[in-house]
Amino acid sequence: MSRGSIAFLAIGLVAAALSSHELTDARFAVIPAVAPSETKSAEPLFASIDLPRPTPTAHASSMAFMHDGSLLIAWFGGTREGAGDVAIQMAKVKDGRVQDSWTSLTCDQLEALTHRVIRTLGNPVLWVDTNGRMCMCVVSVSYGGWSGSAVNQLQSDDGGRSWSKAHRLILSPLFNFSTLVRNQTVAMEDGTIGLPAYHEFLHKWGTWVRMNAAGRVLQCDRMHSAAGEWLQPAVAATSATEAVAVLRSANITEPVIGQSATRDGGQTWLMKAPLDIPNPNSSVSMIRLADGSLLIAANPLVTGRNVLQLFRSHDGGAHWSASRTIERGKKGGEFSYPFFAQSVNGMIQLSYTWQRKGIRLCVFNTRWLDTDDTESPPMENTP
Amino acid sequence: MSVHAIYGLVAQGLIVATAIRFVREIFGHKNLARFGMELWIPATTVLIVPVAGVSIAGHLRGLWGDPSIVTFVLLLRYTSNPSALPSRPRLSTCLLTTFFVSLPLYLPLFSLSPAIPVDLYSFGWQPKWILIALAVIMTGSIALRTISHRWVNLIAIALIAYSIGLMESDNMWDYLVDPGLLFTIAFLAIAGVASIFRGRTLTADSNTDTLQGAKT
């Protein structure tokens, strides 16, 4: 063995050690809860608007507030789910009105950015980083179905009109098969981002991905170890080190919302007893409101997605009670894939898939949540 | 174009060139030129010629992703000069790699983690323990003279590539191994074990034959 080889190896070991990004303390960036009396406005407020429909089908919306207070909403739309013409559509909403909408990302554009074939696009997840840049993770498929998909991360300096610095997130050792995203990111105190993701190939489970501002993956761990088919985690931090996650159920024998929790800032997750809320293998969204309560939007049915209802917890997810019903349609209808955001003035934004034809945005306050749900929403109030 | 994309696309061209060389050697063309025109042309074609708007290399990247640095260097050496390859790993190395790397990396993906409770891939994001293990294993192998300098250089190249972020992945495992490399090592392990058993069986058979022959 030559001394040159030994020295070369030593240089490699030292260089690799120096370039490793050590994880800092895992602490969620949690805004202190405001007393309920301060967040309640005098009147219950509720409004809904339908976003433009440039494509025959639309699904899986995601939202993020820009620093100017406008709300950007992204979803995927095309002739049908999985088609080659599916693109990421975006709309900008401000002061309760749609100001603009555009096609934000096509398969061809993502192919050019990532230098690999892209057959179709899927769920987008938007967030704004600490520098005010719009970031997006988007699911793409090169070959096969959704279980063969991967996640791409992109950045935009012009509010989602064009994308740059795209790269593929490599999250699996076996050909990077089958990693997807659906729900919103969670900000960490050190400026890193927690991204709830999930795996679909053969078995389904949630994963917790932590990335720095440059998009470098620092951690990717399973969110639970218990048996069962759970996916699409939605995470809400309840303190600097504690968070709860609710998960879509793909279990035929246990069609209820799954639950996982962490007490160490997301470094380890433990599966908890599922919630007593039915889930028809449909996406769930969760948010921690300004008053500290947790709010879930889900389809509380064993089969079908024709009812979209809210559930609220005032004790960090230990107990949940039914709240307002957002949509109640005929059997076969679909009001699914909800996504939450809350503005600085406390107004709650909820976007969701409306009959697979479009995206509907509801805006309401906590006072509206507190009022009785005595009047059921009209059946499929066609826009 | 990013350095990640350049690496990934060139690697696909190299895979195609390797496949051509391998197939031609199987059919008896042992004296191919060192990375001659018959390999350069298809490799370049893969990089340049688009199919449905994307280069063939882009299609291959979409299919199986980018190979590890170790695989890349092995393919490069094989394609340019097969005699420059490191010596074939010992059976014990193949078996240890299969049991302590391949299975803990891939079995958790099939939800067989209770059988192997460690998700080895997760160690690659903060590779302190991988580096310590590598330092111990390589030091021991060098001291016992059980490893050639070519393998040591290969590991060093992969570590330096990780330090400069040559690949898309941020996980150190993706610089060291990939499914193609590990499946090949597992195949060598299985073939090695099978040959041992076949040898024993042949010995037993020959003994039987001898005994039967003595009876007659």
Side-chain angles (χ1 to χ4, degrees):
Chain A
M1 180 68 61
S2 70
R3 288 184 180 175
S5 292
I6 296 171
F8 192 32
L9 177 65
I11 290 169
L13 286 167
V14 171
L18 291 176
S19 64
S20 302
H21 291 229
E22 282 298 316
L23 271 177
T24 52
D25 280 347
R27 293 176 64 83
F28 299 111
V30 179
I31 299 167
V34 182
S37 58
E38 294 176 47
T39 60
K40 282 181 182 173
S41 54
E43 294 294 325
L45 298 172
F46 179 90
S48 71
I49 53 173
D50 288 292
L51 302 183
R53 296 178 179 174
T55 55
T57 68
H59 195 38
S61 58
S62 173
M63 296 185 285
F65 277 101
M66 298 295 287
H67 284 189
D68 66 356
S70 60
L71 181 67
L72 285 187
I73 308 169
W75 66 93
F76 74 79
T79 50
R80 58 176 171 79
E81 182 177 330
D85 64 355
V86 167
I88 301 301
Q89 306 292 334
M90 286 189 84
K92 183 177 181 180
V93 176
K94 194 168 186 184
D95 300 327
R97 285 196 312 231
V98 178
Q99 290 197 329
D100 197 2
S101 66
W102 63 96
T103 298
S104 180
L105 182 72
T106 63
C107 289
D108 290 346
Q109 289 168 335
L110 190 58
E111 275 181 349
L113 287 166
T114 61
H115 299 281
R116 46 165 58 86
V117 66
I118 305 289
R119 289 289 169 88
T120 192
L121 298 176
N123 303 342
V125 172
L126 292 178
W127 75 95
V128 176
D129 71 9
T130 49
N131 299 318
R133 274 178 313 199
M134 175 61 62
C135 299
M136 176 168 71
C137 274
V138 62
V139 173
S140 69
V141 177
S142 292
Y143 292 102
W146 288 126
S147 60
S149 54
V151 180
N152 309 273
Q153 197 207 339
L154 306 98
Q155 290 180 352
S156 172
D157 293 318
D158 55 8
R161 292 179 191 280
S162 64
W163 298 93
S164 59
K165 293 180 182 174
H167 74 281
R168 177 69 57 97
L169 296 183
I170 310 294
L171 301 172
S172 164
L174 191 66
F175 305 115
N176 198 34
F177 262 173
S178 193
T179 310
L180 301 92
V181 291
R182 163 63 197 134
N183 279 308
Q184 59 263 64
T185 58
V186 180
M188 308 295 287
E189 273 187 5
D190 61 0
T192 59
I193 286 290
L195 174 70
Y198 60 102
H199 177 97
E200 267 207 14
F201 180 60
L202 294 179
H203 293 280
K204 298 173 175 62
W205 61 77
T207 57
W208 176 250
V209 181
R210 198 168 156 203
M211 298 185 296
N212 66 13
R216 183 175 177 132
V217 178
L218 305 171
Q219 175 197 356
C220 177
D221 285 315
R222 285 197 194 197
M223 292 184 67
H224 55 84
S225 56
E229 304 287 315
W230 309 98
L231 65 157
Q232 297 183 344
V235 177
T238 52
S239 75
T241 54
E242 294 175 307
V244 291
V246 288
L247 298 101
R248 166 179 172 174
S249 169
N251 300 292
I252 298 167
T253 55
E254 203 172 17
V256 289
I257 294 174
Q259 186 179 204
S260 185
T262 178
R263 290 187 162 190
D264 55 10
Q267 294 178 75
T268 55
W269 293 83
L270 280 176
M271 202 68 188
K272 296 175 73 178
L275 305 185
D276 196 18
I277 303 172
N279 182 257
N281 198 354
S282 179
S283 184
V284 182
S285 185
M286 179 168 63
I287 191 173
R288 178 179 178 268
L289 301 178
D291 65 1
S293 64
L294 296 176
L295 190 65
I296 281 178
N299 304 118
L301 305 166
V302 175
T303 56
R305 297 175 174 180
N306 53 314
V307 174
L308 182 63
Q309 193 174 358
L310 304 178
F311 296 84
R312 201 169 177 195
S313 170
H314 293 277
D315 53 9
H319 301 89
W320 292 88
S321 55
S323 181
R324 305 297 298 263
T325 302
I326 300 291
E327 296 270 9
R328 188 184 298 277
K330 293 173 187 168
K331 199 165 185 178
E334 179 168 346
F335 312 104
S336 64
Y337 273 60
F339 196 99
F340 277 123
Q342 188 169 25
S343 61
V344 288
N345 65 3
M347 292 297 288
I348 303 157
Q349 328 279 320
L350 172 67
S351 63
Y352 56 91
T353 300
W354 193 91
Q355 304 285 36
R356 290 269 178 160
K357 294 175 183 168
I359 302 298
R360 179 169 285 182
L361 174 66
C362 292
V363 185
F364 49 89
N365 59 6
T366 49
R367 186 63 189 267
W368 180 78
L369 285 175
D370 294 335
T371 54
D372 288 337
D373 196 12
T374 51
E375 188 179 330
S376 294
M379 297 274 277
E380 288 189 36
N381 42 342
T382 309
Chain B
M1 189 183 289
S2 70
V3 66
H4 302 147
I6 293 169
Y7 170 77
L9 293 170
V10 170
Q12 306 306 325
L14 187 58
I15 289 171
V16 169
T18 304
I20 291 169
R21 172 154 219 144
F22 185 70
V23 170
R24 293 194 65 173
E25 284 197 353
I26 286 175
F27 287 100
H29 295 86
K30 295 283 185 187
N31 54 350
L32 285 178
R34 291 186 178 188
F35 215 47
M37 291 300 287
E38 70 274 22
L39 301 178
W40 270 111
I41 290 171
T44 311
T45 303
V46 162
L47 288 173
I48 295 172
V49 175
V51 174
V54 184
S55 68
I56 298 170
H59 283 271
L60 295 175
R61 285 189 90 200
L63 187 63
W64 53 46
D66 300 338
S68 67
I69 298 293
V70 169
T71 298
F72 183 91
V73 177
L74 286 173
L75 296 184
L76 194 61
R77 284 183 173 175
Y78 171 73
T79 312
S80 59
N81 181 12
S83 64
L85 280 174
S87 55
R88 183 172 157 169
R90 297 162 183 232
L91 175 59
S92 58
T93 306
C94 293
L95 285 169
L96 288 171
T97 306
T98 301
F99 278 100
F100 291 104
V101 179
S102 308
L103 296 179
L105 270 179
Y106 299 136
L107 285 190
L109 292 173
F110 300 99
S111 276
L112 296 170
S113 51
I116 297 173
V118 179
D119 180 8
L120 204 59
Y121 193 65
S122 65
F123 285 88
W125 306 112
Q126 305 293 321
K128 180 173 66 179
W129 292 108
I130 297 176
L131 292 173
I132 290 171
L134 266 179
V136 170
I137 292 168
M138 300 304 280
T139 304
S141 301
I142 290 168
L144 296 171
R145 297 176 185 276
T146 56
I147 190 167
S148 79
H149 73 279
R150 285 175 176 166
W151 282 109
V152 174
N153 291 345
L154 201 51
I155 299 296
I157 291 169
L159 293 175
I160 289 170
Y162 171 80
S163 69
I164 61 174
L166 189 63
M167 295 177 66
E168 272 181 333
S169 176
D170 301 313
N171 192 303
M172 179 170 278
W173 283 117
D174 292 319
Y175 287 77
L176 295 169
V177 295
D178 55 57
L181 181 66
L182 290 178
F183 290 164
T184 304
I185 290 173
F187 174 79
L188 291 175
I190 293 166
V193 171
S195 68
I196 290 172
F197 275 99
R198 206 164 44 237
R200 282 181 184 168
T201 309
L202 279 174
T203 307
D205 289 346
S206 60
N207 286 343
T208 310
D209 291 344
T210 309
L211 286 170
Q212 286 170 345
K215 279 179 183 175
T216 55

